[in-house]
Amino acid sequence: MTTRRTRPAPRPPEGTPAPAELARQARAVLADAVRIARWAAAGVAPSLPEGPPGGHPATVPSAIGAQERAAAALNLTPDQVRAGWDRARLAGLVELHGGTARPGWRLRAWDRDDMAVLRGWVALFDAWSLAHPAPEVVAPTAVAEVVEAVPQVLSLLQLSAGPVLVPALLDLLQQRVAELREERCEVPYGPRGETPCAAGEQPAAGPAAPASPVTAGPGDGDVPLSLLLDWALEGLAAIGALTLERGQATLTPLGNWAVWVKLEQICVAAQSPAGNIEQSAEDMLRGCARLTPGPARAEYRAWLAARTVSSAVGELLGVARGEDALLRGLAFEALRVVGGPAEPEVRAAAAEPSLRPYALLWLAEYEGADPEDAADVLTREEATWLWVDTAAAVADHGEPQLLLRHLDSAVQGTVPALIEEVRAGGHPRTVQVLVALAAAHPDPALAKAVRRAAFQVHTGRA
């Protein structure tokens, strides 16, 4: 008998609310987003606006009309509709396929799955700078510096375990931005206006200009960092990560939990239940998600043995058509256990864009191709689409390190080339995948490039 070992669930810091309470708080933060997502996904609004986050909608009658209908139906203002729609997209509650809004898998699991709720909120937490865009007068490079420095500010808030004065946070932000500029050799040395050292050169000997006060310059009007700190704190407060009161910032329980998760790089995973033979295909696949391949195949065989082939294959393909990329991949693993009897239905599924890469790989292996060579049947575009879909599964259910390892499987070979082709691929989870990759990547320059690509895709500039 095979014994399955499971890692004990990580234990959060003392005083952290239970997951059910954290999920309740996350549901409250995203309440408007859920209402709008459900309204749109029901088919009432096939094309809500896709303009820049927090900005004005596309000036076309259909988008403006959809906003007006949503505002009237949900008793919200147009600004609330725009903000809620933006959050719904960033949290994975709704996905756009062409001009049609469809519910994401998190939306369907919203009322019953606390971890789906928390993961949705963490996706929004990772994308706070998209949900709360910076003032247009600030240069993008300055915005990127602050976004890169904010995790250190959040770490200080968590370590303080209580309110921290905003001036103390500003001091830390100034120090961190100065460090980032010095690492890139962008801090001017000597008189103001002297050209910073070129790439690869060392700064001239002598005392450096003091790191504080640091502005959001150069070349952007020297916007004080205090204004960008205010922007960051307001954005994080708007998504429920912290509170601002009397010149102090305090992490909320949700924010404290999210920072702890990021620092520890641990994802809380439900234990796989035993005995899935009577479960639906979706519940069976979820139950097998944490099993190693051998025990998982045994579960698939037991589940399949209790059903007719046609009903089992139909149910598995139905799950594969859903929005949860992890279940899509697992459904085709179960179909590999079915073998030949599934071939007609899998061949037909190859005509569906979201299933095509999986179906082609299944058919190649069924026809005798070596699993390591089966990917050769995919076009570059199909391979890229599959990479994004698999990355979405990792981002939703895995650990940050796994997402970084997943980079090695991309056909492009370099992150910049991958970003360009991912942006052009049209996968509905592109923004969420890029945001998660930026949050996980240890290279600040690459993380910034990935974050910029996510912003461009989110604002329709891809």
Side-chain angles (χ1 to χ4, degrees), residues 263-359:
L263 290 174
E264 296 296 323
Q265 294 189 335
I266 291 175
C267 292
V268 178
Q271 298 298 314
S272 179
N276 298 286
I277 192 170
E278 296 180 359
Q279 304 296 323
S280 66
E282 179 175 348
D283 290 339
M284 181 272 294
L285 293 173
R286 290 191 187 283
C288 294
R290 295 292 170 179
L291 297 178
T292 56
R297 282 192 294 270
E299 289 287 305
Y300 300 153
R301 291 190 187 97
W303 186 85
L304 292 166
R307 289 156 180 79
T308 64
V309 171
S310 59
S311 66
V313 171
E315 196 172 347
L316 289 169
L317 286 174
V319 174
R321 292 185 180 98
E323 264 52 66
D324 191 334
L326 175 66
L327 297 189
R328 184 159 31 253
L330 292 177
F332 276 87
E333 288 299 317
L335 288 168
R336 285 179 171 84
V337 175
V338 177
E343 189 267 342
E345 288 85 352
V346 172
R347 193 170 296 279
E352 302 178 40
S354 64
L355 302 186
R356 181 172 177 78
Y358 294 93

Side-chain angles (χ1 to χ4, degrees), residues 29-289:
V29 170
L30 287 164
D32 284 351
V34 170
R35 292 176 64 204
I36 293 168
R38 285 175 172 161
W39 183 83
V44 181
S47 57
L48 278 171
E50 296 185 65
H56 294 291
T59 54
V60 295
S62 61
I64 295 174
Q67 281 197 14
E68 292 174 347
R69 293 197 303 276
L74 302 174
N75 195 27
L76 299 172
T77 67
D79 285 344
Q80 288 174 321
V81 170
R82 284 194 291 271
W85 177 246
D86 209 46
R87 291 183 180 193
R89 292 168 60 197
L90 292 172
L93 297 170
V94 69
E95 297 174 359
L96 299 181
H97 298 260
T100 303
R102 296 181 185 174
W105 72 269
R106 284 191 181 121
L107 184 62
R108 292 197 296 272
W110 197 253
D111 293 328
R112 60 177 170 80
D113 190 336
D114 288 345
M115 287 312 302
V117 172
L118 291 175
R119 287 181 181 277
W121 185 85
V122 168
L124 179 62
F125 174 79
D126 285 339
W128 68 267
S129 60
L130 300 182
H132 186 68
E136 294 182 359
V137 297
V138 183
T141 52
V143 173
E145 286 176 339
V146 172
V147 171
E148 192 173 340
V150 159
Q152 197 158 342
V153 173
L154 292 170
S155 296
L156 174 61
L157 285 167
Q158 199 225 24
L159 290 171
S160 300
V164 178
L165 292 172
V166 171
L169 298 177
L170 179 59
D171 285 344
L172 178 62
L173 181 66
Q174 289 175 330
Q175 293 171 22
R176 182 58 184 146
V177 169
E179 290 171 359
L180 292 172
R181 292 179 184 173
E182 187 171 2
E183 289 169 4
R184 292 191 297 269
C185 211
E186 293 178 5
V187 178
Y189 288 81
R192 180 174 175 81
E194 185 174 307
T195 303
C197 57
E201 297 181 2
Q202 296 297 320
S212 178
V214 179
T215 65
D220 55 9
D222 289 338
V223 175
L225 272 183
S226 59
L227 295 182
L228 282 177
L229 175 62
D230 290 343
W231 160 69
L233 295 177
E234 289 166 3
L236 290 162
I239 63 169
L242 55 80
T243 58
L244 293 169
E245 187 176 352
R246 296 190 298 275
Q248 300 179 118
T250 309
L251 283 180
T252 64
L254 265 179
N256 185 67
W257 173 79
V259 175
W260 168 72
V261 169
K262 296 298 178 183
L263 290 174
E264 296 296 323
Q265 294 189 335
I266 291 175
C267 292
V268 178
Q271 298 298 314
S272 179
N276 298 286
I277 192 170
E278 296 180 359
Q279 304 296 323
S280 66
E282 179 175 348
D283 290 339
M284 181 272 294
L285 293 173
R286 290 191 187 283
C288 294

